[in-house]
Amino acid sequence: MPRDADYVRVSVALIILTTDMADPLTIAWDAFRSAARNKRPAADAGQYAYYGRVGGCLITGNEDGVKHCAMNVLYSLQHLGYTIPPQADAGWIGEAGPGPSYLDPGSGGPENDFTNRNTTFMTWNLLHLARMLNDAGGIPPYGNQRSGWDAGCRYDFDNPEYR
């Protein structure tokens, strides 16, 4: 078992907390749009700013809503440059219909083995991948630098105009 100190200096994993309302007008989608507008290359390696970071999501709602929202959130995170580990989502699935939140008295949330297991697996997978990326120095920059592409470097992509 890793020691807590082994994870102290690891890049912070982004976990988006949201409800299962996969509506483009929700706060989560506003956050993605804002992050996409700020998706500029970082100065050090010339990669986009979110490269070398890991992401996951913790969602509350019904089962289909949790899965649908997780697909959108995780896709959006990787599109920004985050690296997504396996089992990078977890969700609190209460009773069908409106009901108590995870920590509400009588909700059963803290005793829910399904939610607690998946949240634990997600958390450790985020930490493990963040540690791996940190130890490797991030994502290698060859082939994914916008400035190089704009300058004419094609990173081994064959020129289709040879005909």
Side-chain angles (χ1 to χ4, degrees), residues 71-157:
M71 286 187 294
N72 287 316
V73 168
L74 295 174
Y75 177 83
S76 297
L77 288 173
Q78 69 78 33
H79 189 71
L80 292 172
Y82 284 89
T83 304
I84 309 299
Q87 292 182 275
D89 65 304
W92 158 241
I93 303 169
E95 295 294 323
S101 293
Y102 179 80
L103 288 177
D104 285 348
S107 70
E111 297 82 31
N112 186 290
D113 193 55
F114 176 82
T115 299
N116 295 335
R117 181 194 66 220
N118 290 342
T119 302
T120 300
F121 286 10
M122 175 192 70
T123 302
W124 278 106
N125 286 341
L126 288 165
L127 290 169
H128 290 314
L129 186 56
R131 164 59 74 193
M132 291 166 61
L133 284 170
N134 187 62
D135 291 350
I139 303 287
Y142 183 81
N144 57 44
Q145 294 171 309
R146 175 71 185 259
S147 60
W149 187 269
D150 290 346
C153 181
R154 291 300 179 249
Y155 304 108
D156 302 323
F157 182 81

Side-chain angles (χ1 to χ4, degrees), residues 10-11 14 21-22 25 34 44 51-52 58 67 81 85 94 102 119 150 160:
V10 171
S11 299
L14 174 69
M21 300 182 322
L25 300 176
S34 176
D44 54 345
Y51 272 54
L58 181 61
K67 291 176 183 177
Y102 179 80
T119 302
D150 290 346

